[in-house]
PDB file of all heavy atoms in Angstrom:
ATOM      1  N   GLU A   1     105.262  85.952  89.618  1.00  0.00           N
ATOM      2  CA  GLU A   1     104.115  86.466  88.867  1.00  0.00           C
ATOM      3  C   GLU A   1     103.914  87.918  89.258  1.00  0.00           C
ATOM      4  O   GLU A   1     104.187  88.296  90.398  1.00  0.00           O
ATOM      5  CB  GLU A   1     102.839  85.676  89.179  1.00  0.00           C
ATOM      6  CG  GLU A   1     102.841  84.250  88.690  1.00  0.00           C
ATOM      7  CD  GLU A   1     102.866  84.141  87.165  1.00  0.00           C
ATOM      8  OE1 GLU A   1     102.376  85.062  86.485  1.00  0.00           O
ATOM      9  OE2 GLU A   1     103.378  83.140  86.665  1.00  0.00           O
ATOM     10  N   PRO A   2     103.411  88.745  88.348  1.00  0.00           N
ATOM     11  CA  PRO A   2     103.123  90.131  88.736  1.00  0.00           C
ATOM     12  C   PRO A   2     102.066  90.169  89.840  1.00  0.00           C
ATOM     13  O   PRO A   2     101.083  89.432  89.796  1.00  0.00           O
ATOM     14  CB  PRO A   2     102.571  90.755  87.446  1.00  0.00           C
ATOM     15  CG  PRO A   2     103.100  89.887  86.350  1.00  0.00           C
ATOM     16  CD  PRO A   2     103.175  88.501  86.932  1.00  0.00           C
ATOM     17  N   ALA A   3     102.308  90.993  90.833  1.00  0.00           N
ATOM     18  CA  ALA A   3     101.342  91.175  91.914  1.00  0.00           C
ATOM     19  C   ALA A   3     100.104  91.882  91.365  1.00  0.00           C
ATOM     20  O   ALA A   3     100.137  92.474  90.281  1.00  0.00           O
ATOM     21  CB  ALA A   3     101.969  91.989  93.038  1.00  0.00           C
ATOM     22  N   ARG A   4      99.021  91.818  92.131  1.00  0.00           N
ATOM     23  CA  ARG A   4      97.758  92.437  91.703  1.00  0.00           C
ATOM     24  C   ARG A   4      97.101  93.073  92.925  1.00  0.00           C
ATOM     25  O   ARG A   4      97.013  92.450  93.980  1.00  0.00           O
ATOM     26  CB  ARG A   4      96.867  91.376  91.090  1.00  0.00           C
ATOM     27  CG  ARG A   4      95.577  91.871  90.538  1.00  0.00           C
ATOM     28  CD  ARG A   4      94.858  90.699  89.845  1.00  0.00           C
ATOM     29  NE  ARG A   4      93.526  91.034  89.462  1.00  0.00           N
ATOM     30  CZ  ARG A   4      93.175  91.537  88.298  1.00  0.00           C
ATOM     31  NH1 ARG A   4      94.093  91.777  87.392  1.00  0.00           N
ATOM     32  NH2 ARG A   4      91.930  91.817  88.010  1.00  0.00           N
ATOM     33  N   LEU A   5      96.649  94.295  92.754  1.00  0.00           N
ATOM     34  CA  LEU A   5      95.958  95.025  93.812  1.00  0.00           C
ATOM     35  C   LEU A   5      94.632  95.518  93.274  1.00  0.00           C
ATOM     36  O   LEU A   5      94.592  96.183  92.235  1.00  0.00           O
ATOM     37  CB  LEU A   5      96.803  96.223  94.280  1.00  0.00           C
ATOM     38  CG  LEU A   5      96.146  97.182  95.267  1.00  0.00           C
ATOM     39  CD1 LEU A   5      95.903  96.498  96.613  1.00  0.00           C
ATOM     40  CD2 LEU A   5      97.004  98.432  95.449  1.00  0.00           C
ATOM     41  N   SER A   6      93.549  95.171  93.959  1.00  0.00           N
ATOM     42  CA  SER A   6      92.238  95.715  93.592  1.00  0.00           C
ATOM     43  C   SER A   6      91.695  96.484  94.799  1.00  0.00           C
ATOM     44  O   SER A   6      91.943  96.103  95.947  1.00  0.00           O
ATOM     45  CB  SER A   6      91.276  94.605  93.178  1.00  0.00           C
ATOM     46  OG  SER A   6      91.065  93.708  94.244  1.00  0.00           O
ATOM     47  N   PHE A   7      90.973  97.563  94.530  1.00  0.00           N
ATOM     48  CA  PHE A   7      90.448  98.389  95.618  1.00  0.00           C
ATOM     49  C   PHE A   7      89.381  99.334  95.092  1.00  0.00           C
ATOM     50  O   PHE A   7      89.308  99.620  93.898  1.00  0.00           O
ATOM     51  CB  PHE A   7      91.568  99.183  96.296  1.00  0.00           C
ATOM     52  CG  PHE A   7      92.333 100.104  95.371  1.00  0.00           C
ATOM     53  CD1 PHE A   7      91.999 101.448  95.282  1.00  0.00           C
ATOM     54  CD2 PHE A   7      93.387  99.631  94.599  1.00  0.00           C
ATOM     55  CE1 PHE A   7      92.704 102.299  94.435  1.00  0.00           C
ATOM     56  CE2 PHE A   7      94.092 100.470  93.755  1.00  0.00           C
ATOM     57  CZ  PHE A   7      93.751 101.807  93.673  1.00  0.00           C
ATOM     58  N   GLY A   8      88.570  99.814  96.003  1.00  0.00           N
ATOM     59  CA  GLY A   8      87.587 100.840  95.696  1.00  0.00           C
ATOM     60  C   GLY A   8      87.938 102.119  96.435  1.00  0.00           C
ATOM     61  O   GLY A   8      88.549 102.079  97.511  1.00  0.00           O
ATOM     62  N   VAL A   9      87.573 103.245  95.869  1.00  0.00           N
ATOM     63  CA  VAL A   9      87.836 104.545  96.486  1.00  0.00           C
ATOM     64  C   VAL A   9      86.511 105.291  96.605  1.00  0.00           C
ATOM     65  O   VAL A   9      85.887 105.602  95.585  1.00  0.00           O
ATOM     66  CB  VAL A   9      88.837 105.381  95.668  1.00  0.00           C
ATOM     67  CG1 VAL A   9      89.110 106.717  96.348  1.00  0.00           C
ATOM     68  CG2 VAL A   9      90.131 104.627  95.447  1.00  0.00           C
ATOM     69  N   PRO A  10      86.074 105.585  97.820  1.00  0.00           N
ATOM     70  CA  PRO A  10      84.824 106.327  97.968  1.00  0.00           C
ATOM     71  C   PRO A  10      85.013 107.786  97.551  1.00  0.00           C
ATOM     72  O   PRO A  10      86.125 108.316  97.583  1.00  0.00           O
ATOM     73  CB  PRO A  10      84.519 106.209  99.463  1.00  0.00           C
ATOM     74  CG  PRO A  10      85.847 106.025 100.112  1.00  0.00           C
ATOM     75  CD  PRO A  10      86.688 105.261  99.114  1.00  0.00           C
ATOM     76  N   SER A  11      83.936 108.422  97.182  1.00  0.00           N
ATOM     77  CA  SER A  11      84.019 109.822  96.749  1.00  0.00           C
ATOM     78  C   SER A  11      84.420 110.754  97.885  1.00  0.00           C
ATOM     79  O   SER A  11      84.811 111.891  97.637  1.00  0.00           O
ATOM     80  CB  SER A  11      82.679 110.263  96.154  1.00  0.00           C
ATOM     81  OG  SER A  11      81.656 110.114  97.109  1.00  0.00           O
ATOM     82  N   THR A  12      84.353 110.288  99.126  1.00  0.00           N
ATOM     83  CA  THR A  12      84.750 111.106 100.272  1.00  0.00           C
ATOM     84  C   THR A  12      86.260 111.136 100.496  1.00  0.00           C
ATOM     85  O   THR A  12      86.752 111.935 101.281  1.00  0.00           O
ATOM     86  CB  THR A  12      84.062 110.577 101.546  1.00  0.00           C
ATOM     87  OG1 THR A  12      84.401 109.196 101.708  1.00  0.00           O
ATOM     88  CG2 THR A  12      82.551 110.743 101.468  1.00  0.00           C
ATOM     89  N   ASN A  13      87.006 110.273  99.813  1.00  0.00           N
ATOM     90  CA  ASN A  13      88.457 110.264  99.936  1.00  0.00           C
ATOM     91  C   ASN A  13      88.991 111.524  99.246  1.00  0.00           C
ATOM     92  O   ASN A  13      88.678 111.779  98.079  1.00  0.00           O
ATOM     93  CB  ASN A  13      89.039 109.005  99.279  1.00  0.00           C
ATOM     94  CG  ASN A  13      90.527 108.861  99.494  1.00  0.00           C
ATOM     95  OD1 ASN A  13      91.297 109.784  99.288  1.00  0.00           O
ATOM     96  ND2 ASN A  13      90.944 107.670  99.899  1.00  0.00           N
ATOM     97  N   PRO A  14      89.786 112.349  99.937  1.00  0.00           N
ATOM     98  CA  PRO A  14      90.284 113.598  99.340  1.00  0.00           C
ATOM     99  C   PRO A  14      91.047 113.418  98.026  1.00  0.00           C
ATOM    100  O   PRO A  14      91.115 114.355  97.226  1.00  0.00           O
ATOM    101  CB  PRO A  14      91.200 114.171 100.422  1.00  0.00           C
ATOM    102  CG  PRO A  14      90.701 113.572 101.690  1.00  0.00           C
ATOM    103  CD  PRO A  14      90.208 112.201 101.322  1.00  0.00           C
ATOM    104  N   ASN A  15      91.620 112.254  97.779  1.00  0.00           N
ATOM    105  CA  ASN A  15      92.389 112.029  96.559  1.00  0.00           C
ATOM    106  C   ASN A  15      91.715 111.043  95.615  1.00  0.00           C
ATOM    107  O   ASN A  15      92.387 110.411  94.790  1.00  0.00           O
ATOM    108  CB  ASN A  15      93.804 111.548  96.913  1.00  0.00           C
ATOM    109  CG  ASN A  15      94.610 112.653  97.548  1.00  0.00           C
ATOM    110  OD1 ASN A  15      94.554 113.803  97.105  1.00  0.00           O
ATOM    111  ND2 ASN A  15      95.330 112.331  98.594  1.00  0.00           N
ATOM    112  N   CYS A  16      90.381 110.965  95.673  1.00  0.00           N
ATOM    113  CA  CYS A  16      89.671 110.001  94.823  1.00  0.00           C
ATOM    114  C   CYS A  16      89.833 110.308  93.335  1.00  0.00           C
ATOM    115  O   CYS A  16      89.758 109.418  92.511  1.00  0.00           O
ATOM    116  CB  CYS A  16      88.194 109.915  95.199  1.00  0.00           C
ATOM    117  SG  CYS A  16      87.236 111.366  94.784  1.00  0.00           S
ATOM    118  N   GLY A  17      90.116 111.528  92.966  1.00  0.00           N
ATOM    119  CA  GLY A  17      90.281 111.886  91.556  1.00  0.00           C
ATOM    120  C   GLY A  17      91.721 111.866  91.081  1.00  0.00           C
ATOM    121  O   GLY A  17      92.006 112.237  89.941  1.00  0.00           O
ATOM    122  N   ALA A  18      92.641 111.403  91.917  1.00  0.00           N
ATOM    123  CA  ALA A  18      94.064 111.458  91.572  1.00  0.00           C
ATOM    124  C   ALA A  18      94.530 110.285  90.719  1.00  0.00           C
ATOM    125  O   ALA A  18      95.638 110.309  90.195  1.00  0.00           O
ATOM    126  CB  ALA A  18      94.901 111.506  92.854  1.00  0.00           C
ATOM    127  N   ILE A  19      93.691 109.277  90.548  1.00  0.00           N
ATOM    128  CA  ILE A  19      94.133 108.050  89.885  1.00  0.00           C
ATOM    129  C   ILE A  19      93.788 108.078  88.398  1.00  0.00           C
ATOM    130  O   ILE A  19      92.634 108.295  88.029  1.00  0.00           O
ATOM    131  CB  ILE A  19      93.482 106.826  90.552  1.00  0.00           C
ATOM    132  CG1 ILE A  19      93.815 106.804  92.040  1.00  0.00           C
ATOM    133  CG2 ILE A  19      93.942 105.539  89.889  1.00  0.00           C
ATOM    134  CD1 ILE A  19      93.024 105.796  92.834  1.00  0.00           C
ATOM    135  N   THR A  20      94.791 107.831  87.553  1.00  0.00           N
ATOM    136  CA  THR A  20      94.609 107.787  86.105  1.00  0.00           C
ATOM    137  C   THR A  20      95.110 106.441  85.590  1.00  0.00           C
ATOM    138  O   THR A  20      96.253 106.056  85.863  1.00  0.00           O
ATOM    139  CB  THR A  20      95.405 108.918  85.424  1.00  0.00           C
ATOM    140  OG1 THR A  20      95.004 110.160  85.986  1.00  0.00           O
ATOM    141  CG2 THR A  20      95.162 108.939  83.924  1.00  0.00           C
ATOM    142  N   ARG A  21      94.247 105.767  84.848  1.00  0.00           N
ATOM    143  CA  ARG A  21      94.603 104.450  84.310  1.00  0.00           C
ATOM    144  C   ARG A  21      95.849 104.539  83.431  1.00  0.00           C
ATOM    145  O   ARG A  21      96.000 105.445  82.630  1.00  0.00           O
ATOM    146  CB  ARG A  21      93.436 103.868  83.517  1.00  0.00           C
ATOM    147  CG  ARG A  21      93.665 102.440  83.075  1.00  0.00           C
ATOM    148  CD  ARG A  21      92.406 101.763  82.588  1.00  0.00           C
ATOM    149  NE  ARG A  21      91.629 102.529  81.650  1.00  0.00           N
ATOM    150  CZ  ARG A  21      91.722 102.409  80.327  1.00  0.00           C
ATOM    151  NH1 ARG A  21      92.551 101.552  79.809  1.00  0.00           N
ATOM    152  NH2 ARG A  21      90.973 103.146  79.547  1.00  0.00           N
ATOM    153  N   LEU A  22      96.750 103.604  83.596  1.00  0.00           N
ATOM    154  CA  LEU A  22      98.015 103.434  82.888  1.00  0.00           C
ATOM    155  C   LEU A  22      99.048 104.531  83.163  1.00  0.00           C
ATOM    156  O   LEU A  22     100.182 104.424  82.720  1.00  0.00           O
ATOM    157  CB  LEU A  22      97.813 103.297  81.371  1.00  0.00           C
ATOM    158  CG  LEU A  22      97.037 102.069  80.938  1.00  0.00           C
ATOM    159  CD1 LEU A  22      96.829 102.088  79.426  1.00  0.00           C
ATOM    160  CD2 LEU A  22      97.747 100.792  81.348  1.00  0.00           C
ATOM    161  N   ARG A  23      98.684 105.558  83.883  1.00  0.00           N
ATOM    162  CA  ARG A  23      99.630 106.619  84.190  1.00  0.00           C
ATOM    163  C   ARG A  23     100.024 106.630  85.666  1.00  0.00           C
ATOM    164  O   ARG A  23     101.174 106.864  86.003  1.00  0.00           O
ATOM    165  CB  ARG A  23      99.041 107.972  83.813  1.00  0.00           C
ATOM    166  CG  ARG A  23     100.061 108.825  83.114  1.00  0.00           C
ATOM    167  CD  ARG A  23      99.537 110.157  82.726  1.00  0.00           C
ATOM    168  NE  ARG A  23      98.906 110.070  81.404  1.00  0.00           N
ATOM    169  CZ  ARG A  23      97.965 110.872  80.992  1.00  0.00           C
ATOM    170  NH1 ARG A  23      97.511 111.821  81.764  1.00  0.00           N
ATOM    171  NH2 ARG A  23      97.465 110.738  79.795  1.00  0.00           N
ATOM    172  N   SER A  24      99.056 106.392  86.527  1.00  0.00           N
ATOM    173  CA  SER A  24      99.310 106.457  87.968  1.00  0.00           C
ATOM    174  C   SER A  24     100.101 105.258  88.457  1.00  0.00           C
ATOM    175  O   SER A  24      99.889 104.141  88.001  1.00  0.00           O
ATOM    176  CB  SER A  24      97.986 106.522  88.730  1.00  0.00           C
ATOM    177  OG  SER A  24      97.300 107.711  88.430  1.00  0.00           O
ATOM    178  N   ARG A  25     100.989 105.502  89.389  1.00  0.00           N
ATOM    179  CA  ARG A  25     101.752 104.446  90.046  1.00  0.00           C
ATOM    180  C   ARG A  25     101.222 104.308  91.469  1.00  0.00           C
ATOM    181  O   ARG A  25     101.218 105.270  92.241  1.00  0.00           O
ATOM    182  CB  ARG A  25     103.253 104.770  90.095  1.00  0.00           C
ATOM    183  CG  ARG A  25     103.886 104.919  88.724  1.00  0.00           C
ATOM    184  CD  ARG A  25     103.878 103.600  87.968  1.00  0.00           C
ATOM    185  NE  ARG A  25     104.471 103.715  86.658  1.00  0.00           N
ATOM    186  CZ  ARG A  25     103.779 103.632  85.526  1.00  0.00           C
ATOM    187  NH1 ARG A  25     102.486 103.467  85.553  1.00  0.00           N
ATOM    188  NH2 ARG A  25     104.371 103.722  84.365  1.00  0.00           N
ATOM    189  N   ILE A  26     100.781 103.111  91.797  1.00  0.00           N
ATOM    190  CA  ILE A  26     100.255 102.833  93.125  1.00  0.00           C
ATOM    191  C   ILE A  26     101.361 102.185  93.944  1.00  0.00           C
ATOM    192  O   ILE A  26     102.050 101.279  93.472  1.00  0.00           O
ATOM    193  CB  ILE A  26      99.029 101.887  93.056  1.00  0.00           C
ATOM    194  CG1 ILE A  26      97.946 102.474  92.145  1.00  0.00           C
ATOM    195  CG2 ILE A  26      98.495 101.601  94.450  1.00  0.00           C
ATOM    196  CD1 ILE A  26      97.349 103.784  92.614  1.00  0.00           C
ATOM    197  N   LYS A  27     101.532 102.654  95.170  1.00  0.00           N
ATOM    198  CA  LYS A  27     102.544 102.112  96.069  1.00  0.00           C
ATOM    199  C   LYS A  27     101.866 101.697  97.369  1.00  0.00           C
ATOM    200  O   LYS A  27     101.090 102.465  97.932  1.00  0.00           O
ATOM    201  CB  LYS A  27     103.613 103.155  96.366  1.00  0.00           C
ATOM    202  CG  LYS A  27     104.362 103.622  95.147  1.00  0.00           C
ATOM    203  CD  LYS A  27     105.283 104.777  95.479  1.00  0.00           C
ATOM    204  CE  LYS A  27     105.569 105.565  94.226  1.00  0.00           C
ATOM    205  NZ  LYS A  27     105.683 106.975  94.462  1.00  0.00           N
ATOM    206  N   VAL A  28     102.157 100.487  97.819  1.00  0.00           N
ATOM    207  CA  VAL A  28     101.662 100.001  99.100  1.00  0.00           C
ATOM    208  C   VAL A  28     102.871  99.817 100.007  1.00  0.00           C
ATOM    209  O   VAL A  28     103.835  99.143  99.633  1.00  0.00           O
ATOM    210  CB  VAL A  28     100.899  98.664  98.949  1.00  0.00           C
ATOM    211  CG1 VAL A  28     100.471  98.133 100.310  1.00  0.00           C
ATOM    212  CG2 VAL A  28      99.697  98.827  98.030  1.00  0.00           C
ATOM    213  N   TYR A  29     102.797 100.418 101.180  1.00  0.00           N
ATOM    214  CA  TYR A  29     103.870 100.305 102.162  1.00  0.00           C
ATOM    215  C   TYR A  29     103.358  99.550 103.382  1.00  0.00           C
ATOM    216  O   TYR A  29     102.204  99.713 103.789  1.00  0.00           O
ATOM    217  CB  TYR A  29     104.337 101.691 102.621  1.00  0.00           C
ATOM    218  CG  TYR A  29     105.024 102.484 101.548  1.00  0.00           C
ATOM    219  CD1 TYR A  29     104.303 103.332 100.724  1.00  0.00           C
ATOM    220  CD2 TYR A  29     106.403 102.392 101.372  1.00  0.00           C
ATOM    221  CE1 TYR A  29     104.937 104.078  99.731  1.00  0.00           C
ATOM    222  CE2 TYR A  29     107.047 103.133 100.392  1.00  0.00           C
ATOM    223  CZ  TYR A  29     106.297 103.970  99.577  1.00  0.00           C
ATOM    224  OH  TYR A  29     106.923 104.696  98.605  1.00  0.00           O
ATOM    225  N   ARG A  30     104.216  98.736 103.940  1.00  0.00           N
ATOM    226  CA  ARG A  30     103.924  98.057 105.199  1.00  0.00           C
ATOM    227  C   ARG A  30     105.011  98.469 106.179  1.00  0.00           C
ATOM    228  O   ARG A  30     106.190  98.169 105.960  1.00  0.00           O
ATOM    229  CB  ARG A  30     103.923  96.555 105.022  1.00  0.00           C
ATOM    230  CG  ARG A  30     103.601  95.807 106.293  1.00  0.00           C
ATOM    231  CD  ARG A  30     103.588  94.325 106.032  1.00  0.00           C
ATOM    232  NE  ARG A  30     103.134  93.641 107.213  1.00  0.00           N
ATOM    233  CZ  ARG A  30     103.073  92.335 107.287  1.00  0.00           C
ATOM    234  NH1 ARG A  30     103.420  91.587 106.260  1.00  0.00           N
ATOM    235  NH2 ARG A  30     102.670  91.769 108.384  1.00  0.00           N
ATOM    236  N   ASP A  31     104.630  99.187 107.207  1.00  0.00           N
ATOM    237  CA  ASP A  31     105.570  99.694 108.206  1.00  0.00           C
ATOM    238  C   ASP A  31     106.720 100.460 107.555  1.00  0.00           C
ATOM    239  O   ASP A  31     107.885 100.304 107.923  1.00  0.00           O
ATOM    240  CB  ASP A  31     106.105  98.553 109.080  1.00  0.00           C
ATOM    241  CG  ASP A  31     104.997  97.853 109.850  1.00  0.00           C
ATOM    242  OD1 ASP A  31     104.026  98.530 110.241  1.00  0.00           O
ATOM    243  OD2 ASP A  31     105.096  96.624 110.039  1.00  0.00           O
ATOM    244  N   GLY A  32     106.392 101.254 106.542  1.00  0.00           N
ATOM    245  CA  GLY A  32     107.382 102.094 105.878  1.00  0.00           C
ATOM    246  C   GLY A  32     108.187 101.414 104.780  1.00  0.00           C
ATOM    247  O   GLY A  32     108.948 102.068 104.083  1.00  0.00           O
ATOM    248  N   GLN A  33     108.038 100.108 104.601  1.00  0.00           N
ATOM    249  CA  GLN A  33     108.755  99.371 103.567  1.00  0.00           C
ATOM    250  C   GLN A  33     107.852  99.175 102.355  1.00  0.00           C
ATOM    251  O   GLN A  33     106.700  98.769 102.500  1.00  0.00           O
ATOM    252  CB  GLN A  33     109.185  97.995 104.091  1.00  0.00           C
ATOM    253  CG  GLN A  33     110.218  98.046 105.199  1.00  0.00           C
ATOM    254  CD  GLN A  33     111.565  98.439 104.668  1.00  0.00           C
ATOM    255  OE1 GLN A  33     111.934  99.607 104.715  1.00  0.00           O
ATOM    256  NE2 GLN A  33     112.315  97.495 104.171  1.00  0.00           N
ATOM    257  N   LEU A  34     108.379  99.436 101.169  1.00  0.00           N
ATOM    258  CA  LEU A  34     107.608  99.270  99.944  1.00  0.00           C
ATOM    259  C   LEU A  34     107.294  97.790  99.739  1.00  0.00           C
ATOM    260  O   LEU A  34     108.187  96.957  99.682  1.00  0.00           O
ATOM    261  CB  LEU A  34     108.383  99.816  98.741  1.00  0.00           C
ATOM    262  CG  LEU A  34     107.660  99.781  97.402  1.00  0.00           C
ATOM    263  CD1 LEU A  34     106.424 100.682  97.418  1.00  0.00           C
ATOM    264  CD2 LEU A  34     108.601 100.209  96.286  1.00  0.00           C
ATOM    265  N   LEU A  35     106.006  97.468  99.628  1.00  0.00           N
ATOM    266  CA  LEU A  35     105.545  96.094  99.451  1.00  0.00           C
ATOM    267  C   LEU A  35     105.038  95.857  98.033  1.00  0.00           C
ATOM    268  O   LEU A  35     105.149  94.762  97.499  1.00  0.00           O
ATOM    269  CB  LEU A  35     104.425  95.808 100.462  1.00  0.00           C
ATOM    270  CG  LEU A  35     103.832  94.426 100.516  1.00  0.00           C
ATOM    271  CD1 LEU A  35     104.881  93.407 100.938  1.00  0.00           C
ATOM    272  CD2 LEU A  35     102.656  94.400 101.481  1.00  0.00           C
TER     273      LEU A  35
END
């Protein structure tokens, strides 16, 4: 099944404005390995 990631970004995060729906690619790494 497709994985799902949900999260919130506070306005204090330096890259809070970098995310664009359907365009941005989110990557989660665990110890340097793409998860």
Side-chain angles (χ1 to χ4, degrees):
E1 292 294 332
R4 183 175 171 91
L5 173 67
S6 61
F7 59 96
V9 181
S11 59
T12 56
N13 186 311
N15 290 318
C16 70
I19 303 169
T20 304
R21 187 166 48 95
L22 296 177
R23 224 180 272 154
S24 295
R25 299 294 180 249
I26 304 297
K27 299 173 203 144
V28 176
Y29 293 91
R30 181 179 186 183
D31 299 326
Q33 294 287 96
L34 183 64
L35 183 63

